[in-house]
Amino acid sequence: MLLEFSVGNYLSFKAKTTLSLAATSIKEHIDTNIFSTERSDLLKGAVIYGANASGKSNFIRAMSTMRRLILLSFEQSSADELDITPFLLNTETEKASSFFEVVFIIDDTRYRYGFEVDDKQIHSEWLFEAIKNVEKALFLREEDGIEVMKSFPEGKDLEERTRDNALFLAVADQFNGKIAKKIMQWFNNFITISGLSHEGYKGVTFEMLENKQTSLTLLDFYKKLDLGFDDITISKKPFDPKELPNDMPESFVKQLVTDLEGAFRIDIKTIHKKYNAKDKAVGNVEFDMRSQESAGTNKLFNISGPVFDVLNDGGVLVVDELDASLHPLLTLAITKLFNSKEFNRNNAQLIFATHDTNLLYYGNYRRDQIYFVEKDQYGVSNMYSLVEYKEEGKTIRKDRSFEKDYIEGRYGAIPFIGNLSNVVTEWQEK
């Protein structure tokens, strides 16, 4: 369960910026949008709005980067760079390290874990634990070394085994540390995906459709959305080099044959009813999912696996451009899964960036779930929630039309378009 994610000096975020899923005291949608733990009430997700290039994707990329650094840390060599880009538009930050921190709950214990890192090395790293209310350090890492506390015995004698560009948490996990293993599993269920490049996620959907229990849930979901087909068939075929184009260079063919040895090609077909002249059903027709179904149907299919996988595991799903290629009602259907007691029994959380303002009205989001990202004149991205926003010194009331206000620019975080007629006139005069 995620409480907070913070990032600083990374891409367009100069100062430390935090997204919190700790529910505030407001009373909206208490029965659906929040869940309770022994120590706090948490939100089932958050939606992020902002103009193009405001920094929405950068914030989500920060989450993805932290996850990547943690899960892949031990696999790298001492010569590998870490692919970290600080805020480059200021002399104070361009050569400084980036900051990442997450606060989360595992088995009713709160953890706070983070690190400061640049492209070459880890400059600091910390892990704190709070079994009750008092937080205590498990380990602290600085430039001059790593201090392991008595309450973290699994980290003892691993200090010298940790490379400058490796995370100590990942090293402890490799040596089967009990706490480190739990935290690494938590990050494994902290899924970040792109709503634009979603082809790579369909493998998860395949696996769920091959499982009898999860396939029924997915197929029922597709039917409720009325996507135009009645069923789906999946077939696996071993990779056959004879299916490669004849004009492909021989060296490339040889490389593909080597790389794809033992691999399978998966074909997905949608089943549609065929009708006669009197509109009577007379049979079925198979359509190829990729070439004969819409971009929106393909996207929904590809990301439905990760969506239901997270719902089943009670993890965290982070999606950039969730609404891309999707009808607003389909986007709404996905978001409502996470606020559903029927589908979200394990308190999964959904964080996503979108331009779909319909969700501000129909999505039934609380003010503390709505975030805006805005970039200032210095290229710095700033993020704030609607519950934090003040207008003439007062908070925004819950009965306001959030969508209308946002489009009118009352909350900021929208593009300044200017007078387009002047642009057209100048172009015509050239």
Side-chain angles (χ1 to χ4, degrees), residues 351-366:
I351 300 168
F352 65 99
T354 183
H355 292 291
D356 186 354
T357 59
N358 291 286
L359 296 174
L360 289 171
Y361 182 80
Y362 294 104
N364 292 331
Y365 279 99
R366 292 160 50 98

PDB file of all heavy atoms in Angstrom, residues 351-366:
ATOM      1  N   ILE A 351      -2.782   5.171 -10.069  1.00  0.00           N
ATOM      2  CA  ILE A 351      -2.325   6.543 -10.286  1.00  0.00           C
ATOM      3  C   ILE A 351      -2.152   6.713 -11.788  1.00  0.00           C
ATOM      4  O   ILE A 351      -1.477   5.900 -12.432  1.00  0.00           O
ATOM      5  CB  ILE A 351      -0.996   6.814  -9.570  1.00  0.00           C
ATOM      6  CG1 ILE A 351      -1.147   6.603  -8.057  1.00  0.00           C
ATOM      7  CG2 ILE A 351      -0.485   8.222  -9.864  1.00  0.00           C
ATOM      8  CD1 ILE A 351       0.182   6.568  -7.319  1.00  0.00           C
ATOM      9  N   PHE A 352      -2.745   7.755 -12.357  1.00  0.00           N
ATOM     10  CA  PHE A 352      -2.625   7.903 -13.813  1.00  0.00           C
ATOM     11  C   PHE A 352      -2.664   9.362 -14.228  1.00  0.00           C
ATOM     12  O   PHE A 352      -3.229  10.215 -13.540  1.00  0.00           O
ATOM     13  CB  PHE A 352      -3.732   7.125 -14.529  1.00  0.00           C
ATOM     14  CG  PHE A 352      -5.130   7.629 -14.283  1.00  0.00           C
ATOM     15  CD1 PHE A 352      -5.762   8.441 -15.208  1.00  0.00           C
ATOM     16  CD2 PHE A 352      -5.813   7.281 -13.126  1.00  0.00           C
ATOM     17  CE1 PHE A 352      -7.050   8.901 -14.984  1.00  0.00           C
ATOM     18  CE2 PHE A 352      -7.104   7.734 -12.889  1.00  0.00           C
ATOM     19  CZ  PHE A 352      -7.727   8.553 -13.823  1.00  0.00           C
ATOM     20  N   ALA A 353      -2.027   9.627 -15.366  1.00  0.00           N
ATOM     21  CA  ALA A 353      -2.051  10.957 -15.975  1.00  0.00           C
ATOM     22  C   ALA A 353      -3.016  10.930 -17.149  1.00  0.00           C
ATOM     23  O   ALA A 353      -3.094   9.941 -17.882  1.00  0.00           O
ATOM     24  CB  ALA A 353      -0.652  11.344 -16.457  1.00  0.00           C
ATOM     25  N   THR A 354      -3.744  12.020 -17.332  1.00  0.00           N
ATOM     26  CA  THR A 354      -4.771  12.048 -18.374  1.00  0.00           C
ATOM     27  C   THR A 354      -5.076  13.481 -18.782  1.00  0.00           C
ATOM     28  O   THR A 354      -4.775  14.432 -18.047  1.00  0.00           O
ATOM     29  CB  THR A 354      -6.055  11.365 -17.877  1.00  0.00           C
ATOM     30  OG1 THR A 354      -7.025  11.343 -18.918  1.00  0.00           O
ATOM     31  CG2 THR A 354      -6.652  12.114 -16.687  1.00  0.00           C
ATOM     32  N   HIS A 355      -5.696  13.623 -19.965  1.00  0.00           N
ATOM     33  CA  HIS A 355      -6.275  14.899 -20.397  1.00  0.00           C
ATOM     34  C   HIS A 355      -7.798  14.824 -20.400  1.00  0.00           C
ATOM     35  O   HIS A 355      -8.464  15.795 -20.779  1.00  0.00           O
ATOM     36  CB  HIS A 355      -5.797  15.245 -21.813  1.00  0.00           C
ATOM     37  CG  HIS A 355      -4.333  15.558 -21.894  1.00  0.00           C
ATOM     38  ND1 HIS A 355      -3.778  16.697 -21.352  1.00  0.00           N
ATOM     39  CD2 HIS A 355      -3.303  14.882 -22.463  1.00  0.00           C
ATOM     40  CE1 HIS A 355      -2.474  16.710 -21.580  1.00  0.00           C
ATOM     41  NE2 HIS A 355      -2.161  15.618 -22.248  1.00  0.00           N
ATOM     42  N   ASP A 356      -8.354  13.691 -20.002  1.00  0.00           N
ATOM     43  CA  ASP A 356      -9.792  13.472 -20.055  1.00  0.00           C
ATOM     44  C   ASP A 356     -10.471  14.205 -18.894  1.00  0.00           C
ATOM     45  O   ASP A 356     -10.565  13.695 -17.780  1.00  0.00           O
ATOM     46  CB  ASP A 356     -10.088  11.971 -19.988  1.00  0.00           C
ATOM     47  CG  ASP A 356     -11.564  11.653 -20.181  1.00  0.00           C
ATOM     48  OD1 ASP A 356     -12.371  12.603 -20.254  1.00  0.00           O
ATOM     49  OD2 ASP A 356     -11.915  10.464 -20.250  1.00  0.00           O
ATOM     50  N   THR A 357     -10.986  15.395 -19.178  1.00  0.00           N
ATOM     51  CA  THR A 357     -11.608  16.201 -18.125  1.00  0.00           C
ATOM     52  C   THR A 357     -12.968  15.655 -17.705  1.00  0.00           C
ATOM     53  O   THR A 357     -13.496  16.057 -16.655  1.00  0.00           O
ATOM     54  CB  THR A 357     -11.774  17.661 -18.590  1.00  0.00           C
ATOM     55  OG1 THR A 357     -12.598  17.698 -19.767  1.00  0.00           O
ATOM     56  CG2 THR A 357     -10.418  18.285 -18.897  1.00  0.00           C
ATOM     57  N   ASN A 358     -13.563  14.746 -18.501  1.00  0.00           N
ATOM     58  CA  ASN A 358     -14.837  14.147 -18.098  1.00  0.00           C
ATOM     59  C   ASN A 358     -14.734  13.474 -16.730  1.00  0.00           C
ATOM     60  O   ASN A 358     -15.719  13.415 -15.978  1.00  0.00           O
ATOM     61  CB  ASN A 358     -15.281  13.096 -19.127  1.00  0.00           C
ATOM     62  CG  ASN A 358     -15.678  13.722 -20.453  1.00  0.00           C
ATOM     63  OD1 ASN A 358     -16.730  14.324 -20.579  1.00  0.00           O
ATOM     64  ND2 ASN A 358     -14.817  13.585 -21.441  1.00  0.00           N
ATOM     65  N   LEU A 359     -13.536  12.954 -16.418  1.00  0.00           N
ATOM     66  CA  LEU A 359     -13.366  12.247 -15.156  1.00  0.00           C
ATOM     67  C   LEU A 359     -13.501  13.173 -13.947  1.00  0.00           C
ATOM     68  O   LEU A 359     -13.788  12.715 -12.846  1.00  0.00           O
ATOM     69  CB  LEU A 359     -12.007  11.549 -15.126  1.00  0.00           C
ATOM     70  CG  LEU A 359     -11.808  10.439 -16.164  1.00  0.00           C
ATOM     71  CD1 LEU A 359     -10.379   9.927 -16.129  1.00  0.00           C
ATOM     72  CD2 LEU A 359     -12.779   9.295 -15.922  1.00  0.00           C
ATOM     73  N   LEU A 360     -13.283  14.470 -14.173  1.00  0.00           N
ATOM     74  CA  LEU A 360     -13.458  15.425 -13.076  1.00  0.00           C
ATOM     75  C   LEU A 360     -14.918  15.539 -12.669  1.00  0.00           C
ATOM     76  O   LEU A 360     -15.233  15.961 -11.557  1.00  0.00           O
ATOM     77  CB  LEU A 360     -12.921  16.806 -13.487  1.00  0.00           C
ATOM     78  CG  LEU A 360     -11.402  16.922 -13.604  1.00  0.00           C
ATOM     79  CD1 LEU A 360     -11.016  18.261 -14.221  1.00  0.00           C
ATOM     80  CD2 LEU A 360     -10.737  16.734 -12.254  1.00  0.00           C
ATOM     81  N   TYR A 361     -15.804  15.148 -13.580  1.00  0.00           N
ATOM     82  CA  TYR A 361     -17.240  15.179 -13.275  1.00  0.00           C
ATOM     83  C   TYR A 361     -17.790  13.785 -12.997  1.00  0.00           C
ATOM     84  O   TYR A 361     -18.417  13.532 -11.977  1.00  0.00           O
ATOM     85  CB  TYR A 361     -18.001  15.818 -14.437  1.00  0.00           C
ATOM     86  CG  TYR A 361     -19.492  15.943 -14.187  1.00  0.00           C
ATOM     87  CD1 TYR A 361     -19.989  16.982 -13.400  1.00  0.00           C
ATOM     88  CD2 TYR A 361     -20.385  15.020 -14.719  1.00  0.00           C
ATOM     89  CE1 TYR A 361     -21.356  17.098 -13.156  1.00  0.00           C
ATOM     90  CE2 TYR A 361     -21.755  15.131 -14.472  1.00  0.00           C
ATOM     91  CZ  TYR A 361     -22.238  16.166 -13.697  1.00  0.00           C
ATOM     92  OH  TYR A 361     -23.581  16.270 -13.444  1.00  0.00           O
ATOM     93  N   TYR A 362     -17.519  12.851 -13.944  1.00  0.00           N
ATOM     94  CA  TYR A 362     -18.109  11.514 -13.845  1.00  0.00           C
ATOM     95  C   TYR A 362     -17.274  10.540 -13.013  1.00  0.00           C
ATOM     96  O   TYR A 362     -17.764   9.496 -12.602  1.00  0.00           O
ATOM     97  CB  TYR A 362     -18.314  10.921 -15.240  1.00  0.00           C
ATOM     98  CG  TYR A 362     -19.330  11.652 -16.066  1.00  0.00           C
ATOM     99  CD1 TYR A 362     -18.946  12.500 -17.100  1.00  0.00           C
ATOM    100  CD2 TYR A 362     -20.697  11.514 -15.819  1.00  0.00           C
ATOM    101  CE1 TYR A 362     -19.877  13.184 -17.868  1.00  0.00           C
ATOM    102  CE2 TYR A 362     -21.639  12.189 -16.573  1.00  0.00           C
ATOM    103  CZ  TYR A 362     -21.220  13.026 -17.599  1.00  0.00           C
ATOM    104  OH  TYR A 362     -22.153  13.695 -18.342  1.00  0.00           O
ATOM    105  N   GLY A 363     -16.007  10.856 -12.798  1.00  0.00           N
ATOM    106  CA  GLY A 363     -15.131   9.903 -12.126  1.00  0.00           C
ATOM    107  C   GLY A 363     -15.340   9.785 -10.636  1.00  0.00           C
ATOM    108  O   GLY A 363     -14.813   8.872 -10.002  1.00  0.00           O
ATOM    109  N   ASN A 364     -16.068  10.735 -10.058  1.00  0.00           N
ATOM    110  CA  ASN A 364     -16.326  10.732  -8.611  1.00  0.00           C
ATOM    111  C   ASN A 364     -15.038  10.704  -7.795  1.00  0.00           C
ATOM    112  O   ASN A 364     -14.902   9.932  -6.845  1.00  0.00           O
ATOM    113  CB  ASN A 364     -17.210   9.547  -8.217  1.00  0.00           C
ATOM    114  CG  ASN A 364     -18.621   9.674  -8.760  1.00  0.00           C
ATOM    115  OD1 ASN A 364     -19.120  10.783  -8.945  1.00  0.00           O
ATOM    116  ND2 ASN A 364     -19.248   8.549  -9.035  1.00  0.00           N
ATOM    117  N   TYR A 365     -14.088  11.557  -8.196  1.00  0.00           N
ATOM    118  CA  TYR A 365     -12.838  11.639  -7.442  1.00  0.00           C
ATOM    119  C   TYR A 365     -12.942  12.675  -6.327  1.00  0.00           C
ATOM    120  O   TYR A 365     -13.572  13.723  -6.477  1.00  0.00           O
ATOM    121  CB  TYR A 365     -11.670  11.995  -8.378  1.00  0.00           C
ATOM    122  CG  TYR A 365     -11.146  10.794  -9.119  1.00  0.00           C
ATOM    123  CD1 TYR A 365     -11.527  10.537 -10.431  1.00  0.00           C
ATOM    124  CD2 TYR A 365     -10.304   9.886  -8.486  1.00  0.00           C
ATOM    125  CE1 TYR A 365     -11.071   9.419 -11.104  1.00  0.00           C
ATOM    126  CE2 TYR A 365      -9.844   8.766  -9.143  1.00  0.00           C
ATOM    127  CZ  TYR A 365     -10.225   8.537 -10.445  1.00  0.00           C
ATOM    128  OH  TYR A 365      -9.782   7.423 -11.100  1.00  0.00           O
ATOM    129  N   ARG A 366     -12.315  12.361  -5.209  1.00  0.00           N
ATOM    130  CA  ARG A 366     -12.220  13.295  -4.099  1.00  0.00           C
ATOM    131  C   ARG A 366     -11.226  14.402  -4.450  1.00  0.00           C
ATOM    132  O   ARG A 366     -10.368  14.229  -5.316  1.00  0.00           O
ATOM    133  CB  ARG A 366     -11.729  12.567  -2.840  1.00  0.00           C
ATOM    134  CG  ARG A 366     -12.702  11.562  -2.267  1.00  0.00           C
ATOM    135  CD  ARG A 366     -11.991  10.554  -1.359  1.00  0.00           C
ATOM    136  NE  ARG A 366     -11.133  11.182  -0.365  1.00  0.00           N
ATOM    137  CZ  ARG A 366     -11.472  11.424   0.901  1.00  0.00           C
ATOM    138  NH1 ARG A 366     -12.689  11.100   1.326  1.00  0.00           N
ATOM    139  NH2 ARG A 366     -10.629  11.969   1.741  1.00  0.00           N
TER     140      ARG A 366
END
